[in-house]
Amino acid sequence: MSVTPNTPETRPVSELVGTSTGAAWLARYSNSLMGVFGTPQRVLVRGQGCYVWDADGKQYLDLLGGIAVNALGHAHPFVTSVISSQLATLGHVSNFFTSPTQVALAEKLLEIAHAPSGSKVFFANSGTEANEAAFKLARRNNDGGRRTKIVALEGAFHGRTMGALALTAKKAYREPFAPLPEGVVHIPFGDLDALKAEIDETTQALFLEPIQGEAGVIPLPAGYLAEARRLTHEAGALLIMDEVQTGVGRTGSWFAIEGSGVVPDAMSLAKGLGGGFPIGALITFGAENSALLTAGQHGTTFGGNPVATAAALATLHTIETQGVLANVRAVGEHLRAGLSALPEVVAVRGSGLLIGFDLALPAGVPEGANFAAAVVDAGLSAGFIVNAPGPRTLRLAPPLILTAEQADTFLAALPQLIAAAAAAITDKLEKEGA
Ligand code: PLP
């Protein structure tokens, strides 16, 4: 193999890494990668539209989309061509400079967010970084030191860096890393009395996800968001919406809060924004909020780089011009109706193509079993990628271009996947008992 710098011809990446079986890659993975993700389910080598292929040539319908990231599926031709041409023109500049794609993307985000004049954008590389910026923004709303408290909800997931982790509720994620940044209070999900009790003149900000994705696709109760806006406004606290998972068309509108009448003080984005390319963003609404972080108070080397912002511009352009939001609404509705009609499914939640559903426990499967994880395994064997955020909950966050026909193949297969998962668990129990 020889890789000559600046050779004009394109070369497949397999020339750099070679080809191998899934099992061989996984053995090398466990020898070389940190164990934070456990063992990967498969080794994926290629994607096209809503499908991916593993190292052994097996095809999967991707109903998870890289966890709500691959908004336009895999290898989207327009996104790919824009990324390639930007990279071939100007791949990176430091933030001592700007670039046309960075400016154009900021303007586009302010337009689709209906942000009032004086609103601004900060670019990062991920959801946790967008929330880290939001955390620092909140800290600047300090009223000469009188405000020190930040409020978040039980069940919340805002990321894994130390500030975002302080906002994240799950003990298993937090406790190994104590002490976390102080001052964050978690209140019971959807409880307006608890909200009223905590939002006061010492509160810097309230962080909310419109739909808690990692908790199992749990939407805020009706009326909660409007009341949260009223209370934060009255108390002088910021309302910061985390739309990292729900934003950029995922729920069938540009943002999940669209149409609610609520204008937040800030909103974080990532996941689908780059159509698979890493990028995060924090939008600050209005001049006052946008002035909270001043020159030198925050920064990043890669954030807002020309390629990431070009990828996001191509993604937003495609969503806007190709009827993608209408597709999300129609196929999402179709999937939810199909799931609700199955006797094996006891609850269906979510909006657009962010869907969570709970499974009935089949006879013979014990209460404590991670039944949903067994359905994920059965799905992989049958060529479907889905995710289990809870022991009886499955989540779908497919590419926004999923067709009704593709959705139907999953709906038709699901009863068999559930039966196969139940059989796998009961067989295992029998063997262990034997
Ligand atoms: N916020 C929400 C609502 C998320 O769902 C996630 C990721 O799942 C994050 C923040 C963190 O994003 P990232 O993994 O890009 O850091």
Side-chain angles (χ1 to χ4, degrees):
M1 182 197 78
S2 76
V3 179
T4 316
N6 300 325
T7 44
E9 78 270 27
T10 58
R11 285 162 177 249
V13 77
S14 57
E15 279 194 21
L16 284 175
V17 299
T19 52
S20 201
T21 63
W25 281 121
L26 285 179
R28 287 169 61 184
Y29 178 99
S30 65
N31 285 332
S32 55
L33 280 115
M34 221 180 264
V36 292
F37 298 111
T39 306
Q41 293 169 330
R42 294 290 188 274
V43 180
L44 299 178
V45 295
R46 185 165 73 85
Q48 186 69 57
C50 294
Y51 294 96
V52 289
W53 285 262
D54 72 15
D56 303 311
K58 187 176 167 71
Q59 176 181 321
Y60 303 84
L61 179 63
D62 184 2
L63 293 166
L64 189 57
I67 319 185
V69 167
N70 297 99
L72 300 173
H74 300 272
H76 188 274
F78 183 59
V79 178
T80 305
S81 76
V82 169
I83 289 173
S84 308
S85 81
Q86 182 61 53
L87 188 59
T89 308
L90 184 69
H92 177 78
V93 293
S94 73
N95 281 309
F96 292 124
F97 303 92
T98 188
S99 62
T101 53
Q102 185 182 71
V103 176
L105 180 62
E107 289 171 352
K108 187 70 197 170
L109 287 175
L110 294 175
E111 176 204 319
I112 63 177
H114 303 295
S117 99
S119 300
K120 296 280 166 63
V121 179
F122 172 81
F123 286 118
N125 309 289
S126 64
T128 199
E129 284 178 65
N131 284 331
E132 209 63 36
F135 195 112
K136 288 177 77 172
L137 187 88
R139 282 285 191 247
R140 297 303 304 146
N141 182 31
N142 68 5
D143 242 347
R146 279 184 294 279
R147 294 179 191 269
T148 51
K149 179 172 56 174
I150 294 179
V151 182
L153 299 196
E154 285 174 10
F157 185 84
H158 296 292
R160 305 275 202 154
T161 49
M162 293 302 263
L165 187 58
L167 301 167
T168 291
K170 200 168 174 173
K171 281 202 173 69
Y173 294 165
R174 300 165 56 87
E175 280 179 351
F177 306 102
L180 294 171
E182 60 192 24
V184 180
V185 176
H186 287 94
I187 57 172
F189 178 85
D191 181 337
L192 276 178
D193 291 335
L195 187 65
K196 278 183 197 129
E198 287 295 352
I199 303 295
D200 56 29
E201 69 288 351
T202 70
T203 309
Q204 298 184 307
L206 168 67
F207 278 77
L208 294 178
E209 296 158 84
I211 301 173
Q212 287 190 340
E214 299 306 297
V217 189
I218 321 271
L220 287 174
Y224 189 92
L225 182 61
E227 189 60 5
R229 177 67 287 186
R230 191 183 69 74
L231 291 167
T232 48
H233 185 71
E234 268 176 25
L238 305 180
L239 174 64
I240 300 180
M241 297 307 301
D242 180 343
E243 290 240 24
V244 165
Q245 188 155 158
T246 52
V248 196
R250 174 61 44 197
T251 63
S253 49
W254 278 121
F255 306 105
I257 61 165
E258 203 172 298
S260 66
V262 166
V263 180
D265 295 297
M267 178 161 79
S268 52
L269 303 172
K271 288 200 179 273
L273 179 57
F277 205 90
I279 181 167
L282 181 71
I283 304 178
T284 49
F285 288 73
E288 209 181 318
N289 293 324
S290 301
L292 283 171
L293 285 172
T294 57
Q297 288 187 333
H298 197 47
T300 158
T301 294
F302 289 115
N305 93 71
V307 183
T309 48
L313 276 170
T315 303
L316 297 180
H317 178 80
T318 306
I319 292 174
E320 191 166 46
T321 57
Q322 304 296 311
V324 173
L325 297 177
N327 186 67
V328 172
R329 291 191 291 271
V331 179
E333 202 50 56
H334 181 75
L335 257 174
R336 271 191 299 281
L339 290 167
S340 303
L342 294 176
E344 295 89 345
V345 173
V346 294
V348 182
R349 295 178 296 276
S351 294
L353 285 172
L354 181 59
I355 298 176
F357 58 99
D358 298 336
L359 303 167
L361 210 58
V365 176
E367 283 282 331
N370 193 341
F371 182 53
V375 179
V376 169
D377 287 344
L380 287 167
S381 300
F384 296 100
I385 296 179
V386 298
N387 160 254
R392 287 200 214 165
T393 304
L394 289 174
R395 172 174 49 170
L396 309 179
L400 307 181
I401 55 169
L402 187 79
T403 65
E405 293 71 29
Q406 289 167 334
D408 282 342
T409 62
F410 175 68
L411 289 171
L414 186 56
Q416 290 143 45
L417 306 184
I418 289 172
I425 289 178
T426 50
D427 283 0
K428 188 162 175 265
L429 286 174
E430 261 172 43
K431 278 192 194 118
E432 282 166 3

